[in-house]
Amino acid sequence: MELAYYSDYAVRLVNSEEPGRNKDTLTSVEAVRELFGGSSQAARRATDADVTRFRSVRARLRAVFEAADGGDETLAVDLLNSLLLEFPVSPQISGHGDHDAEGKPMWHMHLADHPSNATSGYAAISAMGLAFHLTEHGVDRLGLCEAAPCRNAYLDTSTNRSRRYCSDRCATRANVAAYRARKRLETERSASTGRAAETAQRSSANGER
């Protein structure tokens, strides 16, 4: 498993809250465990106290995305470094019993679950995954959805750095809204032009009299 894969953990946690819609799904131990996936040992260690701790980490991860989205690369890096210092990772070489065509073990780097509590483990792997993504692809590859009021976090993996929305649904919604706005503007301009023409005609008629 590539370490950059863990950046999805950060996105998953940040998007458990949608401030613009006043929506928060991180309200129970079960919600915390779902962020890990059912097979994680750290998920099984989650307690009620982790709900509050996860929300704190979530706010700090969102701040990283906000800084990156706002073009402040130094702040984004500083905020992420703060998380990396507070929640160090425990790297391990793992194979999961997989072998290649020649029967040789397929080894890869894996970030082990943190032994202390569920929050520390999740924060460590999500921060490290985000750090790998940032250093590999650039700070501008961390974004927030432009389809208001969404503002969900996303990782831009497009070839031309053109991603602006967190999902196809938001992209479609934004495009439809932009189309309708253009149509309204065209209608208003047409009506304004029509009124101006009528005024000019009346002025001309009055002048001829």
Side-chain angles (χ1 to χ4, degrees):
M1 183 182 297
E2 297 182 359
L3 296 183
Y5 161 84
Y6 290 103
S7 57
D8 289 337
Y9 278 69
V11 173
R12 204 179 308 160
L13 177 54
V14 171
N15 292 346
S16 66
E17 179 185 31
E18 296 182 62
R21 295 190 173 103
N22 196 29
K23 181 180 179 181
D24 188 350
T25 60
L26 191 55
T27 58
S28 65
V29 177
E30 288 71 24
V32 169
R33 290 170 179 163
E34 287 177 4
L35 290 170
F36 284 97
S39 62
S40 172
Q41 293 181 358
R44 292 191 287 272
R45 290 199 298 269
T47 67
D48 289 332
D50 284 300
V51 177
T52 300
R53 290 195 289 255
F54 260 68
R55 286 181 171 179
S56 176
V57 172
R58 178 178 65 187
R60 295 171 66 182
L61 286 171
R62 175 170 282 279
V64 175
F65 279 92
E66 289 175 342
D69 188 67
D72 194 335
E73 294 193 12
T74 300
L75 178 58
V77 170
D78 287 345
L79 292 171
L80 191 50
N81 274 335
S82 177
L83 283 164
L84 291 169
L85 287 172
E86 185 173 346
F87 301 103
V89 298
S90 301
Q92 290 183 346
I93 299 174
S94 178
H96 298 297
D98 296 330
H99 295 78
D100 61 18
E102 298 178 356
K104 296 179 180 179
M106 298 175 63
W107 303 112
H108 61 263
M109 290 301 297
H110 175 78
L111 300 183
D113 288 337
H114 200 284
S116 58
N117 58 67
T119 303
S120 295
Y122 197 99
I125 60 179
S126 59
M128 179 56 73
L130 202 57
F132 269 94
H133 190 93
L134 184 152
T135 54
E136 179 70 18
H137 303 290
V139 177
D140 59 340
R141 291 299 186 124
L142 278 60
L144 292 173
C145 186
E146 293 185 13
C150 178
R151 303 301 284 169
N152 270 353
Y154 65 83
L155 299 172
D156 185 358
T157 56
S158 63
T159 56
N160 57 355
R161 300 174 182 264
S162 61
R163 185 170 179 178
R164 297 165 56 199
Y165 307 104
C166 69
S167 64
D168 290 340
R169 183 183 67 176
C170 277
T172 300
R173 183 162 55 84
N175 290 334
V176 169
Y179 172 79
R180 290 175 177 171
R182 287 195 300 271
K183 283 298 183 181
R184 283 196 301 269
L185 183 59
E186 290 173 4
T187 300
E188 291 171 359
R189 286 177 175 173
S190 178
S192 177
T193 301
R195 288 193 297 269
E198 291 176 1
T199 300
Q201 288 176 355
R202 285 196 298 269
S203 297
S204 178
N206 291 336
E208 290 177 357
R209 293 178 190 149

